[in-house]
Amino acid sequence: MTYEQKISGELNFWKFKTLQKPSLLSKVTDKVQKKINSYIPDKVHNAITTAIKQMVKAVLLGSTFTTSKPITDLTLMHREALVKQKIDTYKKTGAAEGGITGAGGFLMSLADFPLLLGIKMKMLFDIAAVYGYDVKDYRERLYILHIFQLAFSSKEESQNIFYKMQNWDDKAHQLPTNIDEFDWLTFQQQYRDYIDLAKLAQMLPFVGAAVGAVANYKLIEKLGKTAIMSYRMRYFSLQSVVLSHEPISDFRLEKGN
């Protein structure tokens, strides 16, 4: 069995799990969370949305996170070996950061939110570059944002995001021309709801450090796996295009992928 055959099977299983109907427990949890959200004043929702929007825009558009150059001379197997190494490094970094802020009490735990967001986004930029994509391209940064949503959304919302990400390279001309057109309200609600329980527990005395370390480790691990599957999906999609449209023109496929 070739490497491509192996990961193709893994990708198909991930797609199957992603597109499965939500479980009863998942539906109940979503309804409870939506009910809670309905009691929160719009003024609070707007404030949270604005805060997250500015944080994400700073990360996506900041020069600090757009310096990685795309790698164009590795096979897919070697790319993914490098990606997994990077994910392991970021998991350890996130765990250490979560442990420190968790041990610092309530205010330090609040500081963990933007710090963890920055770690996650930096990891996604590095992963994109290893897969051969230029993160200076706005469309690639938008794809990164979709990966983030796919990892940290409800079952129903993640399926909507999944369909948007299919055949991404064919949809490039349909993408928003301005990042402000992105649905920030849904983004902040889905992300906040996903991590609420874990991060609230991080604020508890005595156990905050342990909870913070484990929660951050698991959140980064989930994001890393989602990123790998998302770029595999693009890889096989591009391969299908190549097989039906010769000659090959995509540099990522020409150089040994």
Side-chain angles (χ1 to χ4, degrees):
M1 178 183 292
T2 66
Y3 185 74
E4 288 191 7
Q5 290 173 330
K6 175 180 177 294
I7 65 172
S8 177
E10 294 175 359
L11 177 62
N12 287 334
F13 181 73
W14 174 77
K15 288 181 178 179
F16 171 76
K17 296 289 289 184
T18 300
L19 297 177
Q20 268 188 325
K21 292 183 178 180
S23 64
L24 179 60
L25 177 60
S26 177
K27 290 180 179 179
V28 171
T29 302
D30 287 346
K31 286 182 179 180
V32 171
Q33 189 62 59
K34 287 177 181 178
K35 191 67 175 178
I36 294 174
N37 283 337
S38 69
Y39 293 125
I40 299 176
D42 289 339
K43 187 183 299 185
V44 176
H45 277 301
N46 292 336
I48 295 174
T49 299
T50 300
I52 294 180
K53 177 179 179 179
Q54 295 306 319
M55 279 193 293
V56 176
K57 285 179 70 174
V59 172
L60 287 178
L61 305 180
S63 59
T64 303
F65 295 92
T66 58
T67 54
S68 298
K69 294 183 179 180
I71 299 175
T72 61
D73 56 355
L74 291 178
T75 65
L76 180 62
M77 182 170 65
H78 287 122
R79 289 180 195 276
E80 296 209 333
L82 182 56
V83 164
K84 290 172 184 177
Q85 288 178 5
K86 288 184 175 292
I87 292 173
D88 284 340
T89 299
Y90 278 105
K91 286 193 295 186
K92 293 173 183 176
T93 301
E97 183 270 321
I100 293 171
T101 54
F106 181 77
L107 292 179
M108 283 289 286
S109 293
L110 288 179
D112 174 66
F113 186 88
L115 291 173
L116 179 61
L117 183 60
I119 291 172
K120 289 174 179 175
M121 288 296 183
K122 183 64 172 70
M123 180 181 74
L124 290 179
F125 272 87
D126 283 351
I127 290 174
V130 173
Y131 274 106
Y133 293 96
D134 187 355
V135 293
K136 292 181 180 179
D137 187 331
Y138 163 74
R139 293 167 296 183
E140 294 305 328
R141 297 196 298 270
L142 195 57
Y143 190 73
I144 285 174
L145 204 55
H146 278 70
I147 293 174
F148 196 94
Q149 278 190 293
L150 183 61
F152 302 124
S153 293
S154 66
K155 189 70 172 178
E156 182 179 357
E157 183 62 24
S158 65
Q159 290 176 354
N160 292 335
I161 298 300
F162 174 87
Y163 287 123
K164 290 180 181 179
M165 294 171 69
Q166 282 190 310
N167 302 313
W168 180 267
D169 296 276
D170 293 335
K171 302 174 182 176
H173 65 284
Q174 300 174 354
L175 298 177
T177 57
N178 190 320
I179 199 168
D180 288 310
E181 295 179 33
F182 192 77
D183 187 354
W184 297 103
L185 179 60
T186 299
F187 178 87
Q188 68 89 5
Q189 285 183 337
Q190 293 289 330
Y191 180 52
R192 184 197 61 203
D193 294 350
Y194 186 93
I195 68 171
D196 259 354
L197 294 178
K199 305 313 284 181
L200 285 174
Q202 183 178 332
M203 298 178 186
L204 297 175
F206 306 113
V207 299
V211 171
V214 173
N216 283 8
Y217 187 93
K218 291 296 184 181
L219 289 169
I220 292 173
E221 182 177 54
K222 178 176 176 60
L223 181 60
K225 179 180 179 180
T226 303
I228 289 175
M229 294 301 176
S230 297
Y231 283 109
R232 284 178 179 178
M233 186 163 62
R234 283 184 77 177
Y235 171 78
F236 285 110
S237 176
L238 283 169
Q239 272 205 328
S240 298
V241 172
V242 167
L243 291 175
S244 58
H245 296 87
E246 296 289 345
I248 297 174
S249 60
D250 188 278
F251 75 89
R252 289 179 297 277
L253 297 177
E254 289 181 326
K255 300 218 176 220
N257 272 342

